[in-house]
Amino acid sequence: MNSSSSRSAAPAPLVIESSVVEGLPAEGALLLRMSGSLDAHGAQAWSDELRGHLEQADRAGLRPVLDMAHVQLGGAAVLRTLSETTRTRTGRPDLIIVRARPGVREAVHLARLTGVQLYATLDEALRELARAASRVEELPAWRSQMADPLRPSYEDLHKEVRALRARVRTAPVIGMAQGALMVRYGLPDSGSAFRALREASQRFNVPLRVLVSAVVVARPPSGDVWFPGRRCLPVPQLRILARGGRDPRYRRQMIDAVLHEALAIGKAPAGYVQFVDPAVNALTLETHYGCADTFLDHLVRGRGDGDADAAARTRGRQVSVPDVATDPLLSDESRCALLTTGARALRSVPVLSSTGSCTGVISLHWTEAGHRPTAAQAEAFALLAADTAAWLSWYHRSVLLDALEHLHRALSRPAR
């Protein structure tokens, strides 16, 4: 009885799962989801494991974010571990903690740990990271008001609704990919397929929605190798995106670089980047800056017609709307969404592949009606779009196919 009671009372082991966060308006983040219990005996082991994850984030150029919502922590143990961890990270990004339990949050506040920042939600943390990055890179001023970092705001709830809408659009594609893997590899259930997809996504830093879309549209493998005869491709010479030493393997960094360059070229206060999701043949929002929530909601709903983005994709050339209020190109819904957010002129630049198909659209907004980019700016936009297309093609044919190949090998391996 005693031994059974002690076993049932034993704390759950602490587990740290890492994943790259998508959808940032600035830099990427490595989210470390923690679950289990931490006591004084486990503090050193947790510290060692945490240090390894933080080094991974630093190598990838990602901001570390700890999600402690499901952790039972001893106050002294966590404070000592966090203090030692942050002290050894001098000169590195701050350690971000989200959703910490009230006792832990109060203890961290009282201890005044340098290098630790607390936020109530992940959205709060990501928004502040975006603001900090925009100040460093001297992007146009972010106009939204900073919320209390310890209390969810209306804006947080609005973003959660928008994120739910995006997940609803992605869920059917995930289901299709799970079904394909179950049939192809004889997996016992959808959970096994999802775990394999998540593992490949994390190993190659490929967003899950991008990976599942590729699984759905790629031709099925017919042998031990999914893509036989494939050669390692050199990174294309990127005239604009190469600046800043960004690693082309990291999708988030490159997409944010595209938007940053576009904003700088056009001297625009707001903009966003969309790529075509081949599984649903629709533009999907990748990153944005300076766009109001009401307009982002309009984009996420994905009507797909009556706007400059759709026109640029269909026509294969840059589309300007110098006066949002009167231009007949826009539908009433699109016009209303733009006007209510202060956009009075816009430009949409298609990203065209080597075969001429549109793989994405870069869009900018201005607050003055009548604004038209100069000829030099239009040429710079075209060069940026060409660089983006070259990088995206390389990424799909190297990093993404590497992830698919790894997935195929892992699921083809006989169970031990």
Side-chain angles (χ1 to χ4, degrees), residues 362-381:
I362 305 165
S363 301
L364 299 176
H365 291 175
W366 292 270
T367 56
E368 308 87 16
H371 185 283
R372 287 182 182 272
T374 65
Q377 287 174 324
E379 182 178 358
F381 287 146

Side-chain angles (χ1 to χ4, degrees), residues 185 221 223-226 403-413:
Y185 301 103
D224 294 337
V225 178
W226 195 334
L404 291 178
E405 201 70 75
H406 168 81
L407 181 67
H408 178 53
R409 287 196 304 269
L411 293 177
S412 299
R413 193 179 302 132

Side-chain angles (χ1 to χ4, degrees), residues 202-262:
Q202 294 177 355
R203 178 183 290 263
F204 290 89
N205 283 332
V206 173
L208 183 62
R209 62 180 174 80
V210 175
L211 182 63
V212 297
S213 181
V215 169
V216 169
V217 302
R219 57 177 174 77
S222 58
D224 294 337
V225 178
W226 195 334
F227 306 98
R230 185 168 65 97
R231 295 178 299 173
C232 181
L233 298 174
V235 178
Q237 296 298 315
L238 305 177
R239 290 156 295 198
I240 298 174
L241 300 182
R243 291 207 297 262
R246 295 178 174 90
D247 190 331
R249 294 172 299 174
Y250 292 108
R251 191 174 185 273
R252 177 84 275 132
Q253 291 184 9
M254 297 302 288
I255 298 174
D256 288 334
V258 170
L259 181 55
H260 179 267
E261 292 288 344

Side-chain angles (χ1 to χ4, degrees), residues 207-396:
L208 183 62
R209 62 180 174 80
V210 175
L211 182 63
V212 297
S213 181
V215 169
V216 169
V217 302
R219 57 177 174 77
S222 58
D224 294 337
V225 178
W226 195 334
F227 306 98
R230 185 168 65 97
R231 295 178 299 173
C232 181
L233 298 174
V235 178
Q237 296 298 315
L238 305 177
R239 290 156 295 198
I240 298 174
L241 300 182
R243 291 207 297 262
R246 295 178 174 90
D247 190 331
R249 294 172 299 174
Y250 292 108
R251 191 174 185 273
R252 177 84 275 132
Q253 291 184 9
M254 297 302 288
I255 298 174
D256 288 334
V258 170
L259 181 55
H260 179 267
E261 292 288 344
L263 291 168
I265 291 169
K267 296 181 173 57
Y272 54 95
V273 176
Q274 300 176 95
F275 285 158
V276 174
D277 183 338
V280 295
N281 190 30
L283 289 169
T284 300
L285 182 64
E286 298 285 349
T287 190
H288 59 87
Y289 181 85
C291 299
D293 283 339
T294 51
F295 180 73
L296 294 175
D297 289 341
H298 169 74
L299 282 181
V300 170
R301 284 196 296 270
R303 302 301 187 200
D305 55 4
D307 57 35
D309 303 331
R313 182 188 178 191
T314 302
R315 300 174 186 178
R317 65 175 186 271
Q318 298 185 36
V319 172
S320 277
V321 176
D323 190 346
V324 168
T326 61
D327 199 299
L329 174 68
L330 303 177
S331 67
D332 290 340
E333 181 182 2
S334 181
R335 190 189 322 280
C336 180
L338 289 163
L339 291 175
T340 56
T341 61
R344 296 297 181 267
L346 57 92
R347 180 85 160 191
S348 294
V349 182
V351 177
L352 303 178
S353 70
S354 58
T355 61
S357 63
C358 182
T359 57
V361 178
I362 305 165
S363 301
L364 299 176
H365 291 175
W366 292 270
T367 56
E368 308 87 16
H371 185 283
R372 287 182 182 272
T374 65
Q377 287 174 324
E379 182 178 358
F381 287 146
L383 291 176
L384 175 62
D387 275 352
T388 305
W391 164 75
L392 192 58
S393 174
W394 173 85
Y395 180 87
H396 284 168

